[in-house]
Amino acid sequence: MEKTSCLHFCFISCLVLFIIVGSWYRSSISPLPGYSLQTQKPIDHSAETPHHPLDPLTVKEINRVRTILSSYEPFSFTFPTIHTILLHEPDKVQVLKWRKGDPFPPRKAQVLALLNGQSHVLNVDLDSRRVTGHAINPSSGYPMLSMDDISAASKAPFSNAEFNKSIAARGVSSSDLICLPPSAGWFGPNEEGKRVVKVLCYSKESTPNFNMRPIEGLVMTVDLDTLEVLKFSETGGDIPIPKSTDTDYRYTAQTKEPQMEPLNPISIEQPKGPSFRVEDGHIVKWANWVFHLKADHRAGLVISRVMVRDSENGELRDVMYKGFASEFFVPYMDLDESWYFKSYMDAGEYGLGMSALPLVPLNDCPRHSYYMDGIFATTDGNPFVQPNMICLFERYSGDISWRHSEGLLTDFQIREARPKVTLVARTAASVGNYDYIFDWEFQTDGLINVKVGLSGMLMVKGSPYHQAPNQDAMSGPLISENLIGVVHDHFVTFHLDMDIDGANNSFVNVNLVKERSLPGESPRKSYLKAKRKIAKTEKDAQIKLKLYDPSEFHMINPSKRSRLGNPTGYKIVPGGTAASLLDHDDPPQLRSAFTNNQIWVTPYNKSEQWAGGLLTYQSRGDDTLAVWSERDRSIENKDIVLWYTLGFHHIPCQEDFPVMPTVTSGFELKPVNFFESNPILRAAPAFEKDLPVCRSSASS
């Protein structure tokens, strides 16, 4: 590119970034009037066909599933309410053997549906056009809430006389009300036999941030199937509705300038375009990585068939068969009638994919991002497109891949450094008040960094106080006038089917043990030694992290060795290590017993995907990771799955009002003796001549 054209390109790019500031609503992406965003051309999904055995169901395939179910004899009189239609993935051995150009394994769908209060789990063969499996109520619990459930339950209170009387007494206009149905959890046999939801209400008067204006103490239990209000409870009539002052978080609503020096526009320029490519809709190729990426109704996004090139011979090597967020447990620490049940399982009760609305260009995802849609099913079984719910982009933030300098004490004058450029696959789920950002970040040194960011709104409790009283008597601190930020936790459990150089792997606890030196052996009195123990069965791999009993945790292939004789492997580097402190017999913890340990390892089982069970809503905890692992199956040199729970304790503060700055934590999957040496030793440094330069008119 000639200098003049490069400068012109950079000037236009920087100008566009500077002037495009938007106010986006959850249902759409709209730039400021007068400006348009350049985005990739929308994909016509109506004619799509699968290209890989793990590709999600297409529009045509979902329509075919609906046709098959419509003629299925048990549904001949009444078509069920569809909660999920997803690909029923082929057996793992079939996927591993498949090569591009081979015939596909049979395409199948898994359907979760409700009919007459019963849960139906069906397998549908799309090729033979028949139902090949049908289980009714295979475990406690129901499928996740549908959008129809949420919409209908939100309207149910308005036909209840007690509710209307209470609202009138509080002086709230019905036109200013928003009611939402958080899940009810499970608290014993008295709550079984009906699919129920709790309904809470807020005032949206003078603000779109109704989350900060709760009508405290007002809660209704609603039967989701009959929409009858089963129980009406009002305990907070003397608590005022918090004011709307300073609650609007939208850019266009801000009347004061931020009290900081303005930031100049910043952007990553890629005049040659991004370095990654997406083939056949879902195969991502970048640098030394190849993997399959797709949207998922429940998990948000799924990474599969992850392979990295050997740094010596260039051959692709297996790292992970499948990775995704399996469950998201969020318990609140308040015992009041309108709070005790707030112990959500966001993936299994609401769906991280169903809650993932279109990402915001330039703000959620940088320029040159590639966007991917999700294709899901409505309650009547028809397909719909969830647009732009995943983005893929390269990141450079000034980090260093490796460096070393010499010259202070030797004759060598060496200055070697390499910039760190990574590839990120991102989705963001807006589950009610909270927003969760999921990043899978791939580095050229073979490391995978998995991060979860928390933003959005606190779930707040109305309070009579304007200033903080004795906070020990409250369930959280005062974050604004009349608002308590209730203490709560977030636990994200990841399913990580590691296949290091093949399916059969072992889990190794590399424990750091302190030892004393022998008398006269050394001036040192103590030192650390790494002692390795291979887990034989599942209970050997149930790990609670301990600060003063540290270990590394390796997944190795005992049959594949480096030139030095070390088994090839990856280790999980824990982060976000908060642990659940609830009693194990507490109903929310019974349902979420997968958080009893930070690490689990189980034998691969196609049916064991969801840590909280396939049917999570109102489940009793009888089909969870903790239950499966109690079988104590053999895991040495087997096809095994690693599970890791990322944890956050959240004690809210004033800075979380009215919208929270993002808090991020994560974990790493890092190669251990997988490569023969530093795999990016020969990576090129950056040179000025290769980079476009944006200069302001003042400096040109």
Side-chain angles (χ1 to χ4, degrees):
M1 179 183 292
E2 295 183 358
K3 185 176 180 180
T4 54
S5 61
C6 178
L7 289 173
H8 180 262
F9 169 86
C10 293
F11 174 76
I12 295 299
S13 300
C14 293
L15 180 63
V16 169
L17 182 63
F18 177 72
I19 62 178
I20 296 179
V21 183
S23 175
W24 284 270
Y25 295 88
R26 298 182 64 186
S27 59
S28 63
I29 300 175
S30 303
L32 286 175
Y35 299 105
S36 61
L37 290 174
Q38 282 191 332
T39 57
Q40 69 192 53
K41 185 178 179 181
I43 297 172
D44 179 11
H45 294 288
S46 62
E48 274 188 321
T49 58
H51 298 278
H52 188 281
L54 296 177
D55 280 359
L57 295 178
T58 65
V59 167
K60 287 182 178 179
E61 289 176 322
I62 292 175
N63 280 325
R64 189 182 305 171
V65 171
R66 190 187 191 287
T67 299
I68 294 168
L69 293 179
S70 297
S71 59
Y72 182 49
E73 197 275 333
F75 301 152
S76 57
F77 293 104
T78 306
F79 192 78
T81 301
I82 302 298
H83 287 252
T84 306
I85 298 179
L86 290 176
L87 176 72
H88 185 61
E89 294 183 357
D91 290 339
K92 184 174 178 179
V93 66
Q94 293 178 297
V95 177
L96 293 175
K97 287 180 178 179
W98 183 86
R99 297 293 180 269
K100 189 171 182 178
D102 290 349
F104 273 14
R107 294 282 286 177
K108 298 179 180 179
Q110 183 186 66
V111 181
L112 302 185
L114 275 169
L115 183 63
N116 298 326
Q118 294 185 312
S119 301
H120 294 254
V121 181
L122 303 104
N123 292 332
V124 179
D125 190 311
L126 296 173
D127 297 327
S128 66
R129 294 178 176 267
R130 62 189 183 92
V131 175
T132 56
H134 186 177
I136 300 175
N137 299 331
S139 62
S140 69
Y142 301 98
M144 69 178 66
L145 293 175
S146 68
M147 290 308 298
D148 286 357
D149 285 331
I150 293 170
S151 176
S154 299
K155 298 171 184 175
F158 292 90
S159 59
N160 181 271
E162 285 182 291
F163 171 79
N164 289 320
K165 181 180 178 181
S166 173
I167 292 301
R170 292 175 186 250
V172 180
S173 169
S174 60
S175 62
D176 291 328
L177 275 178
I178 285 184
C179 295
L180 298 176
S183 56
W186 173 83
F187 292 89
N190 292 337
E191 299 193 1
E192 295 175 6
K194 291 182 178 179
R195 204 166 59 101
V196 300
V197 72
K198 304 289 186 178
V199 178
L200 310 175
C201 297
Y202 305 81
S203 171
K204 64 178 181 178
E205 182 184 7
S206 303
T207 180
N209 192 358
F210 56 86
N211 288 288
M212 295 299 111
R213 305 200 69 204
I215 300 175
E216 191 53 52
L218 185 64
V219 58
M220 289 139 287
T221 305
V222 174
D223 186 316
L224 279 166
D225 295 315
T226 66
L227 298 180
E228 176 188 358
V229 176
L230 302 175
K231 183 179 179 181
F232 176 87
S233 175
E234 183 176 23
T235 58
D238 58 338
I239 297 176
I241 299 173
K243 294 180 180 180
S244 62
T245 307
D246 295 328
T247 59
D248 195 337
Y249 51 89
R250 296 172 299 173
Y251 179 77
T252 54
Q254 306 312 307
T255 58
K256 296 189 298 184
E257 293 293 324
Q259 298 302 304
M260 63 174 71
E261 292 291 327
L263 299 177
N264 292 328
I266 186 170
S267 178
I268 296 175
E269 302 308 327
Q270 295 182 289
K272 296 181 180 180
S275 302
F276 66 87
R277 64 186 186 274
V278 179
E279 297 180 354
D280 295 331
H282 297 280
I283 300 296
V284 179
K285 295 183 178 181
W286 175 79
N288 48 350
W289 288 100
V290 177
F291 57 90
H292 186 276
L293 173 65
K294 68 179 177 183
D296 185 89
H297 182 277
R298 184 165 178 168
L301 67 78
V302 175
I303 306 278
S304 301
R305 296 294 286 124
V306 179
M307 294 176 281
V308 67
R309 291 197 182 278
D310 188 275
S311 57
E312 301 301 319
N313 59 32
E315 293 181 1
L316 284 172
R317 297 169 62 186
D318 291 330
V319 174
M320 182 171 65
Y321 180 73
K322 188 177 182 182
F324 59 93
S326 178
E327 192 50 81
F328 208 131
F329 174 44
V330 188
Y332 284 79
M333 308 303 162
D334 193 302
L335 304 181
D336 283 0
E337 176 69 18
S338 57
W339 277 84
Y340 76 90
F341 56 86
K342 295 181 181 180
S343 52
Y344 308 120
M345 296 171 73
D346 286 337
E349 293 178 337
Y350 296 98
L352 300 176
M354 284 299 293
S355 304
L357 296 170
L359 294 163
V360 182
L362 301 185
N363 293 274
D364 281 332
C365 310
R367 299 176 64 201
H368 308 293
S369 293
Y370 175 90
Y371 293 88
M372 189 175 291
D373 302 335
I375 302 175
F376 306 134
T378 61
T379 52
D380 58 4
N382 287 312
F384 74 93
V385 175
Q386 197 90 315
N388 292 4
M389 63 169 285
I390 295 173
C391 69
L392 194 66
F393 61 90
E394 286 170 297
R395 171 187 281 155
Y396 173 63
S397 57
D399 291 335
I400 301 168
S401 280
W402 67 263
R403 79 173 312 278
H404 186 65
S405 295
E406 287 283 0
L408 291 176
L409 301 175
T410 70
D411 294 333
F412 297 107
Q413 294 299 317
I414 298 174
R415 306 289 186 271
E416 291 284 341
R418 302 293 184 270
K420 179 185 286 188
V421 179
T422 62
L423 180 71
V424 179
R426 170 175 293 170
T427 191
S430 298
V431 188
N433 55 301
Y434 256 103
D435 288 63
Y436 302 121
I437 305 130
F438 294 87
D439 282 2
W440 288 74
E441 184 174 21
F442 295 82
Q443 298 183 183
T444 53
D445 60 1
L447 185 145
I448 304 172
N449 192 0
V450 183
K451 294 186 283 189
V452 178
L454 312 179
S455 189
M457 317 299 170
L458 290 173
M459 182 168 282
V460 293
K461 182 177 184 178
S463 166
Y465 300 112
H466 280 73
Q467 289 190 329
N470 178 10
Q471 296 197 20
D472 290 344
M474 296 163 50
S475 56
L478 210 64
I479 62 158
S480 187
E481 289 79 4
N482 303 117
L483 282 177
I484 294 171
V486 176
V487 173
H488 58 284
D489 291 333
H490 301 266
F491 300 107
V492 195
T493 298
F494 284 85
H495 174 285
L496 305 164
D497 184 2
M498 306 299 291
D499 277 10
I500 309 301
D501 279 325
N504 285 357
N505 290 178
S506 294
F507 177 77
V508 184
N509 185 336
V510 185
N511 188 219
L512 284 172
V513 179
K514 182 177 73 174
E515 298 199 351
R516 296 280 295 178
S517 59
L518 297 174
E521 182 181 12
S522 170
R524 292 281 299 275
K525 300 298 183 183
S526 61
Y527 62 103
L528 301 182
K529 197 165 188 176
K531 296 190 175 182
R532 292 164 172 79
K533 181 181 178 182
I534 297 176
K536 304 293 185 183
T537 66
E538 290 176 275
K539 290 189 178 180
D540 293 337
Q542 295 177 0
I543 305 294
K544 291 179 172 65
L545 298 176
K546 301 174 184 176
L547 187 62
Y548 287 97
D549 185 14
S551 289
E552 286 193 354
F553 304 102
H554 296 189
M555 295 284 281
I556 65 166
N557 187 328
S559 303
K560 182 70 182 294
R561 304 263 169 176
S562 71
R563 75 179 194 282
L564 302 179
N566 292 311
T568 62
Y570 263 67
K571 67 179 178 182
I572 185 164
V573 183
T577 55
S580 179
L581 304 178
L582 298 178
D583 288 339
H584 286 192
D585 62 350
D586 193 356
Q589 192 64 31
L590 282 172
R591 301 178 66 227
S592 302
F594 50 86
T595 63
N596 289 347
N597 301 304
Q598 283 78 54
I599 293 176
W600 311 72
V601 179
T602 60
Y604 172 79
N605 185 321
K606 185 178 173 181
S607 68
E608 296 177 1
Q609 301 268 335
W610 308 108
L614 178 64
L615 303 173
T616 304
Y617 197 86
Q618 288 180 244
S619 63
R620 300 193 299 266
D622 54 342
D623 180 31
T624 69
L625 170 58
V627 172
W628 311 331
S629 188
E630 276 302 303
R631 287 175 277 180
D632 203 23
R633 297 162 289 186
S634 173
I635 57 172
E636 184 180 8
N637 200 13
K638 304 282 188 184
D639 188 358
I640 53 179
V641 176
L642 173 68
W643 305 77
Y644 181 70
T645 295
L646 186 70
F648 302 77
H649 295 309
H650 191 171
I651 303 173
C653 59
Q654 289 178 214
E655 288 82 356
D656 293 333
F657 174 88
V659 61
M660 293 179 291
T662 301
V663 176
T664 302
S665 192
F667 62 92
E668 296 176 348
L669 299 171
K670 188 177 188 299
V672 176
N673 304 316
F674 187 85
F675 299 104
E676 294 294 349
S677 62
N678 181 349
I680 53 172
L681 175 66
R682 296 184 288 275
F687 296 102
E688 191 71 28
K689 65 181 178 60
D690 298 325
L691 304 176
V693 179
C694 282
R695 290 191 180 95
S696 67
S697 58
S699 62
S700 59

